[in-house]
Amino acid sequence: MLVSTHPAMLFLLLVLSTLSLHSQSNDQPKASSALVPAQQLEPLAEKRQWLDLLHFHQIGLFSRFESQADNPRFFLSAKGKQDAKAELLALLTALEKSDYADDSAICRFPARTHWLQQQGFLPAIDIDKCQAFSAWRQKLDARSLTLAFPAAYLNSPSSMYGHTFIRINRNKGNNPLLDFSINFAANADPDDNELIFSFKGLTGGYPGIFSVLPYYEKVKEYSFLESRDVWEYDLDLTDDEIQQFIRHVWEVQQTHFDYFFIGENCSYHLLTLLDAASSRFNLARQFKIGAIPADTVRAIKEAGLITQATFRPSTMSLLTHMLKETSLDIQQTARHIVEQDVTLADTLSRFNRTEQAQLLEIAYQYSRYLSVRKKQDQKKQGQKALAILSARSKVDTNQVFSEPPRPAFRDDEGHHSSRLEATTGIKDSNHYLQLGIRAAYHDRLDNAPGYLQGAQLEMLHLRIRHTRTDSANEFSRIEHIGLVDIASYSPGNYLVQPLSWEVSTGLKRPDSAEDQLLPYLSAGWGASSLWFNQHVYALGVFELNIDKDIEHNHHFSAGPKIGWLHQQNNWAINLDFIQRLDLSGARFDHRELSLGTSLRLNNNWQFRINSRLVRAKPQRSTQAEDNHAHSMSVMYYF
């Protein structure tokens, strides 16, 4: 159909069309670049190495395949976070007119520029002409990389599973404490309490940032302040991979990533840095749901990147070892020196030279512990530590303690973090079959090698049970949903007595109300000791259940918990006695004795037997009843 149009209208349409095309050309990068033929743009943008440089990854149940970087400055294209091709075109366009100014594309993104050079599409570009980047790289002076793995630290939500960071070993100098380290961590608000910190850490409420810090600061933080042993793994990388790693660190240290304890955490993002350094690495993509530090170390090991491992004991490990090699008299005197105002010369006079050296070294370590860990009068303790060091320098005896023993198993050599379990058992006269799955990570009866003695950390634990009663009735139901179950039974010594504690929450079926799946919160505090490799602990515990289907809609109880735990490399046994005194709400009158034993079949298989004797008052009953439960389980760790 022909339409008659006024000449003025035609002119107006022409102007609007021109403005529209101009606007589109400003909003979108050119469809091609003079540096790369059009037919090669898409294959180049889809290369895994380019995607790794942009941090295109997926981890978590509901994540999208896009860049995990959350700072617009990390991209040259407005669409760069979702469109790797658009970002490639934007980079090529910028490089065509780029100089060596510090804010130029070459100097902002040296790793991307170097990768394009390797693909053969760029003319010779001397990235070292970027003055700020070149000075920074020379300061790092990278010769090799070492992965550092501080052990699990249950007193901090972000470090419960351990932590990893990377040390940059310099060409010059032979003191690793003076090297630099690359660390990824949540940039948390210092005013947030532990509850807020945990919630934000689980939900991505904090930005995660990469930082470059002297290595001695990290050793001080983990080995001294938090008393965490550290494993150091030397990585087998080529010089070009090391330099590309350094180039990429320059690119990411000005951006941020949403931080998640479970997924996008410290260990996961170190893998993404390594992936960006070389096309032969494909580490981060192995983790689809979450990333636990020990598992990421295993992935690096399985990729053949670890050449050797070195153990760095914590201050607490050193102090514990020293106490094992000295008499009680020396330990008591060391404590007296630190806690009282004494004259050192008079105190030392009754000991020989070796004993004096031992005494002073123990006193120094204990003084620093009180100053930093216990926050006791830091000025006074600092002065006392200097006096002790001065006295020690005058005792001309060098090595007075043997080297602390290296653990037989590293943290990455333990069982895998997730677990499947199959159980058959009998409760009273009813037989049952039960299946369970646990997302993470370790309980006290799990295979002990590679894990903290006396520690437990379980998250997301589901058990489903099928029961056949003695009257031939059958039914299936959820038996237990554990959200968090943490316990730290840390034994003390003559000088240091850490708090033992536990906390757990989820849904369970109490012995007094088995027909109800009740929400619960349980916690306890106390102390534990290690006698001849036997953990003995005593805690005061409380438990709260809230549900409309129990009497008075709640149950609150408290009482003692006493236990014995013995862990060996191939087996473990745990005996617990709990008496819960009813304080408010329903009356359950609960008393329990439980015994669990486990046998390690191999690193990732285990056989387990459990028995429970319980005296409790069922709902709508006036008297407590005795019941028993016995089970056998096979555990598989994956």
Side-chain angles (χ1 to χ4, degrees), residues 4 11 43 99 104 111 120 136 185 190 245 264 267 425 428 442 449 506 538 583 595:
S4 175
F11 176 75
D99 55 17
S104 67
W136 177 81
F245 178 88
E264 295 182 51
S267 299
D428 296 328
H442 181 76
L583 300 181
L595 175 66

Side-chain angles (χ1 to χ4, degrees), residues 17-80:
S17 177
T18 303
L19 289 174
S20 175
L21 289 173
H22 178 71
S23 175
Q24 291 177 14
S25 66
N26 287 337
D27 290 343
Q28 298 179 359
K30 295 184 295 183
S32 63
S33 166
L35 297 173
V36 178
Q39 67 272 18
Q40 296 189 37
L41 278 173
E42 189 142 352
L44 191 63
E46 292 177 352
K47 284 199 172 186
R48 180 164 54 82
Q49 191 65 20
W50 174 248
L51 297 175
D52 287 340
L53 285 165
L54 297 182
H55 287 256
F56 270 67
H57 295 286
Q58 270 182 299
I59 186 171
L61 294 174
F62 307 107
S63 63
R64 295 180 295 179
F65 185 66
E66 62 181 16
S67 176
Q68 293 170 335
D70 296 306
N71 190 332
R73 183 170 168 73
F74 189 68
F75 308 100
L76 290 168
S77 168
K79 297 181 177 181

